[in-house]
Amino acid sequence: MTRRGYYSDFGGAFVPEVLVATFDELTRAFDAARSDPSFWAQYEALMSSYSCRPTPLTYAENLTRHFGGARIYIKREDLNHTGAHKLNNVMGQGLLVRRMGKSRVIAETGAGQHGVATATMAAKFGLECSVYMGAVDVERQRPNVFWMERLGAQVVPVNEGSRTLKDAINEAFRDWVSSMDQTHYVLGTACGPHPFPEMVSYFQSIVGLEARRQLLEATARLPARVYACVGGGSNALGVFSGFLEDPVELVGVEAAGHGLETGQHAARLASRDASVGVAQGYKTYFLQNADGQMRPTHSVAAGLDYVGVSPILAHYHRTKRVRFEAATDREVVQALALTARKEGLIPALESAHAFARAFKEAPTLSGDQVILINQSGRGDKDIFTVAEAFDDPEWKTFIRNKAEDYGA
Ligand SMILES: *Cc1c(COP(=O)(O)O)cnc(C)c1O
């Protein structure tokens, strides 16, 4: 038996002394909620009335015919309110905040998706909300900043360091140290100090629970393989959790960016470029230099562009329960285009990593085998990036005209 909060020797809770009591309080609240049979029922009821749960399972018959191999099924997390699986975690933490009687939440955000989800939850639960965001990201992600503010959140630009996600995380922790009595920190993925990895994957396990039941109903068999993209690891752990005890191969797909050989990627487990270290309150694989400096990462998908990875996935990497692969920006954009054309579905660029890898492997499997892809989110948000990748001239004209309208 290993220590709670450790997976192999990954994980842990390396937090400042002043926060130890707050982490204990959170762990106790989470344990009490989890052992209260009405809590999960309350969570499911909330998610079905507010976020389209259970999300459907879609048979991708045209893609299946196209590749001529395994039958392809898609779990539709894109149909959640705010467009991705992130709301599963955020609403669950909202219920915990209510149980703890706190009145304010804070969050970090990179691309802004977790910030929008948290601001949404705060509006719904009547909580005060501050979202920390690197100043560079505030500029890059104006549409999400706009909506967070409309939802009533205060967006705090962070001007420290590289002015991106990791600096936002540091500032959010700094806020928490001085406000913990009334404030809960809504961490966005299955990373960070214990109990966050365990708690976030608990709420995301709703994806795997539903998917397993739906697949058995639809096909009367277990999938040969399950594919999910891996940023921090929460959607992957969510869908994988339904199949951990089954003879099912689990495939986590990271961002190969411009290619693993270029160094411009965000593959922590599928490359040899990451090493084990302690940062941001937990122990895992980080893309870091020999002196522990975090390396710049790259992905066409902003949500996969993170230096660390869930300690639970690091553990499944070590025990070989999950196979890790990586897909390049180019493969990902092609997979998105093909999925739109064949199925009328636009996966988020993050999710399209899982599609790209599944498309490589589907033709090598037989027609009586089933594979499952987790569509973690919808791609509407990615219009700027995708239009640029396709070098769409009409889109450029549109943007130029808009700029002119504002006197640029
Ligand atoms: C944030 C995000 C991800 C990456 O986060 P995980 O914790 O790895 O799931 C993946 N897909 C979408 C659509 C996202 O918004």
Side-chain angles (χ1 to χ4, degrees):
M1 196 58 198
T2 51
R3 274 180 300 164
R4 177 118 189 250
Y6 280 87
Y7 315 91
S8 300
D9 62 339
F10 304 110
F14 300 82
V15 298
E17 190 61 35
V18 287
L19 279 177
V20 168
T22 303
F23 273 86
D24 286 348
E25 176 194 22
L26 179 60
T27 304
R28 274 195 309 276
F30 171 52
D31 287 347
R34 194 163 44 170
S35 57
D36 172 355
S38 70
F39 181 74
W40 188 261
Q42 185 191 8
Y43 172 63
E44 281 188 325
L46 173 66
M47 295 309 284
S48 80
S49 67
Y50 195 62
S51 190
C52 195
R53 298 223 76 92
T55 59
L57 179 76
T58 299
Y59 176 42
E61 54 190 325
N62 302 324
L63 284 169
T64 298
R65 203 174 310 118
H66 179 77
F67 289 109
R71 279 182 282 156
I72 302 172
Y73 282 80
I74 300 172
K75 179 60 172 165
R76 301 290 308 283
E77 290 306 294
D78 57 306
L79 292 177
N80 274 291
H81 180 39
T82 72
H85 70 292
K86 286 195 167 69
L87 208 73
N88 300 330
N89 165 44
V90 160
M91 296 306 280
Q93 290 198 42
L95 290 176
L96 284 183
V97 171
R98 196 178 263 177
R99 287 174 76 106
M100 290 187 290
K102 296 192 171 183
S103 58
R104 176 174 178 259
V105 289
I106 55 175
E108 83 296 342
T109 197
Q113 297 300 117
H114 175 58
V116 169
T118 303
T120 298
M121 177 275 277
K124 174 75 175 157
F125 281 77
L127 303 168
E128 227 187 294
C129 178
S130 300
V131 178
Y132 287 87
M133 192 168 186
V136 170
D137 292 327
V138 170
E139 274 166 36
R140 282 194 296 216
Q141 310 289 347
R142 180 49 58 183
N144 282 335
V145 173
F146 176 85
W147 284 127
M148 280 185 259
E149 289 176 345
R150 301 287 81 68
L151 290 159
Q154 180 202 13
V155 178
V156 187
V158 175
N159 280 299
E160 310 294 316
S162 60
R163 307 190 298 151
T164 57
L165 178 61
K166 67 176 168 51
D167 313 292
I169 294 174
N170 293 339
E171 277 307 303
F173 268 103
R174 212 160 290 157
D175 178 318
W176 208 17
V177 164
S178 61
S179 66
M180 61 228 174
D181 290 346
Q182 282 312 313
T183 301
H184 171 68
Y185 180 5
V186 185
L187 215 133
T189 186
C191 291
H194 174 72
F196 283 109
E198 186 180 326
M199 189 170 76
V200 174
S201 21
Y202 170 72
F203 290 123
Q204 293 294 356
S205 72
I206 196 165
V207 180
L209 272 174
E210 288 175 8
R212 188 179 193 279
R213 180 168 38 77
Q214 290 167 322
L215 255 186
L216 285 175
E217 257 166 40
T219 69
R221 69 185 57 216
L222 287 168
R225 296 177 191 173
V226 178
Y227 297 86
C229 66
V230 180
S234 71
N235 88 90
L237 283 163
V239 71
F240 291 168
S241 70
F243 304 94
L244 279 172
E245 309 302 324
D246 298 320
V248 170
E249 194 179 4
L250 306 173
V251 186
V253 189
E254 296 182 305
H258 293 313
L260 294 185
E261 69 291 350
T262 65
Q264 295 180 309
H265 62 77
R268 296 124 311 171
L269 300 174
S271 81
R272 297 185 166 277
D273 294 350
S275 55
V276 178
V278 174
Q280 295 169 0
Y282 71 115
K283 182 175 176 184
T284 192
Y285 282 91
F286 289 98
L287 286 165
Q288 56 188 341
N289 296 328
D291 58 359
Q293 280 278 76
M294 294 302 155
R295 292 167 40 150
T297 52
H298 167 79
S299 169
V300 70
L304 300 189
D305 192 353
Y306 177 53
V307 288
V309 66
S310 176
I312 308 179
L313 284 179
H315 164 67
Y316 290 141
H317 173 63
R318 177 163 297 172
T319 60
K320 298 193 160 56
R321 180 63 191 91
V322 177
R323 167 161 63 93
F324 289 90
E325 304 285 353
T328 64
D329 290 354
R330 182 187 298 267
E331 291 167 335
V332 162
V333 171
Q334 281 169 0
L336 180 148
L338 185 70
T339 307
R341 189 79 185 76
K342 290 283 175 195
E343 297 292 344
L345 299 175
I346 305 176
L349 281 168
E350 290 83 4
S351 322
H353 284 70
F355 285 75
R357 187 67 208 181
F359 293 170
K360 265 195 182 163
E361 300 183 7
T364 68
L365 299 174
S366 74
D368 59 6
Q369 288 177 300
V370 166
I371 60 175
L372 173 66
I373 305 172
N374 196 35
Q375 182 170 347
S376 54
R378 63 173 187 233
D380 312 44
K381 67 180 176 62
D382 295 317
I383 187 163
F384 290 90
T385 314
V386 175
E388 194 171 304
F390 283 100
D391 206 16
D392 184 280
E394 307 291 343
W395 175 258
K396 284 184 190 160
T397 306
F398 166 74
I399 295 289
R400 213 172 288 122
N401 290 344
K402 276 280 167 217
E404 268 170 28
D405 288 349
Y406 290 102

